[in-house]
């Protein structure tokens, strides 16, 4: 299958790309960081993966849709790229930063999803969300609320798609010791809110509440294969693994 992974060159997105490539899918990977994209392309190709990479900033509402339209055919879109957003009391953080998080996490996800639906005859769209979009996540409200909005968007669009063979699912990959959560555990954080979050995250990790990255990527691969299509509109979490 041809699978597009936004933000697929780094961290969790890269782990997704690795497992999908190993399963023989044809990959299209996007991100903003050209160097990381080039490195991912070289390394995945060395493993025999059919992959191509494109710079596409999710903050530009035309970039990813234009790429998707140019592909002509797409089976699966994995909307993985996202920002962690500003940290601190909501009324104190930079408002532009707060809204930029929505531009990427919500608008970027929605515009890519819409373009994929217009292009696809059948397939699936997987919107990578977070437990932060289900439960409160104080001091990280742009991230939390943007992910909650993606979960609700997914529920609605799945109903609109019910007469077409296209599934749309939310996927919470769990707390994984890469990317956002790995940086979130940083012991050297100076800012008091970041320090509190880091302490909490390290406790979660120490108590075994993190999901191993292989397990998280393995479950994503099962969603990509269509195993969860019957739950279109719903949220898949590590407990489904
Ligand atoms: N790590 C976790 O434990 C965890 C837990 C729950 C949910 N998640 C979700 O999993 C996904 C990946 O998280 P992560 O931890 O790997 O985060 P990360 O380390 O911050 O990586 C974010 C990815 O998104 C891409 N990205 C960010 N802004 C972008 C933009 N404007 N346009 C295009 N690509 C953009 C980045 O690539 P460039 O820098 O090249 O743009 C990078 O590949 C996110 O949706 C996150 O919410 C992660």
């Amino acid at each position: 299958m041809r699978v597009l992974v936004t933000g697929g060159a780094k961290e969790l997105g890269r782990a997704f790309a690795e497992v999908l490539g190993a399963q023989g899918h044809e990959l299209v990977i996007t991100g903003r960081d050209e160097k990381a994209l080039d490195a991912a392309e070289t390394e995945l190709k060395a493993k025999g993966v059919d992959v191509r990479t494109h710079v596409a900033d999710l903050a530009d509402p035309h970039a990813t849709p234009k790429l998707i339209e140019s592909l002509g055919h797409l089976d699966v879109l994995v909307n993985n790229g996202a920002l962690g957003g500003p940290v601190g009391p909501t009324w104190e953080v930079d408002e532009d930063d707060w809204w930029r998080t929505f531009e990427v996490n919500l608008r970027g996800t929605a515009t890519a999803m819409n373009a994929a639906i217009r292009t696809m005859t059948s397939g699936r769209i997987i919107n990578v969300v977070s437990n932060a979009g289900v439960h409160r996540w104080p001091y990280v409200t742009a991230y939390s609320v943007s992910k909650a909005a993606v979960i609700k968007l997914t529920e609605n669009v799945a109903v609109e798609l019910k007469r077409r063979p296209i599934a749309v699912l939310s996927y919470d990959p769990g707390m994984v010791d890469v990317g956002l959560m790995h940086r979130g555990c940083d012991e050297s954080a100076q800012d008091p809110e970041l320090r509190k979050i880091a302490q909490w995250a390290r406790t979660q990790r120490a108590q075994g509440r993190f999901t191993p990255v292989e397990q998280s990527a393995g479950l994503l691969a099962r969603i990509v294969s269509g195993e969860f299509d019957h739950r279109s509109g719903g949220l898949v979490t590590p407990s489904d693994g």
Side-chain angles (χ1 to χ4, degrees):
M1 282 193 285
R2 183 181 284 170
V3 185
L4 191 157
V5 184
T6 66
K10 293 177 182 168
E11 306 291 350
L12 196 51
R14 176 60 186 272
F16 293 163
E18 291 283 341
V19 74
L20 295 172
Q23 291 187 352
H25 295 296
E26 177 192 340
L27 300 184
V28 183
I29 288 175
T30 67
R32 294 163 301 175
D33 181 343
E34 200 169 357
K35 265 193 181 159
L37 288 166
D38 287 347
E41 185 169 328
T42 305
E43 287 159 26
L44 286 162
K45 276 189 172 156
K47 293 178 183 172
V49 179
D50 181 353
V51 57
R52 57 185 140 146
T53 56
H54 296 268
V55 172
D57 187 343
L58 289 163
D60 172 353
H62 307 293
T64 311
K66 217 165 115 188
L67 169 65
I68 290 171
E69 280 147 25
S70 77
L71 292 176
H73 172 83
L74 183 66
D75 297 296
V76 183
L77 167 67
V78 180
N79 257 321
N80 164 78
L83 291 176
V87 177
T90 303
W91 60 94
E92 283 179 15
V93 296
D94 185 284
E95 270 191 33
D96 289 338
D97 265 3
W98 204 84
W99 285 108
R100 203 169 298 122
T101 311
F102 283 79
E103 288 291 329
V104 173
N105 296 7
L106 178 58
R107 190 177 184 186
T109 294
T111 52
M113 179 180 69
N114 293 340
I117 293 169
R118 287 194 295 265
T119 305
M120 280 174 172
T121 43
S122 65
R124 59 202 58 84
I125 294 148
I126 301 160
N127 294 325
V128 180
V129 295
S130 165
N131 191 255
V134 178
H135 297 288
R136 65 190 176 196
W137 210 265
Y139 305 106
V140 199
T141 56
Y143 181 71
S144 172
V145 178
S146 65
K147 293 292 183 177
V150 172
I151 292 170
K152 197 50 77 182
L153 176 69
T154 305
E155 287 174 14
N156 282 290
V157 171
V159 175
E160 295 168 3
L161 282 171
K162 78 177 173 214
R163 287 187 211 293
R164 291 179 59 184
I166 301 175
V168 53
L169 288 141
S170 294
Y171 175 47
D172 166 11
M175 291 188 283
V176 186
D177 200 7
V178 295
L180 286 172
M181 277 313 284
H182 181 77
R183 297 194 296 276
C185 290
D186 184 6
E187 292 184 33
S188 63
Q190 295 301 310
D191 174 88
E193 266 87 32
L194 272 177
R195 254 211 323 268
K196 253 188 275 173
I197 290 172
Q199 218 161 36
W200 173 83
R202 286 198 302 274
T203 308
Q204 297 292 308
R205 186 169 61 185
Q207 292 176 346
R209 299 212 173 95
F210 274 30
T211 302
V213 65
E214 303 74 22
Q215 206 170 299
S216 183
L219 183 53
L220 182 275
R222 287 171 55 194
I223 308 171
V224 164
S225 76
E227 195 178 324
F228 292 86
D229 282 4
H230 61 288
R231 282 171 49 184
S232 187
L235 171 65
V236 180
T237 74
S239 65
D240 292 297

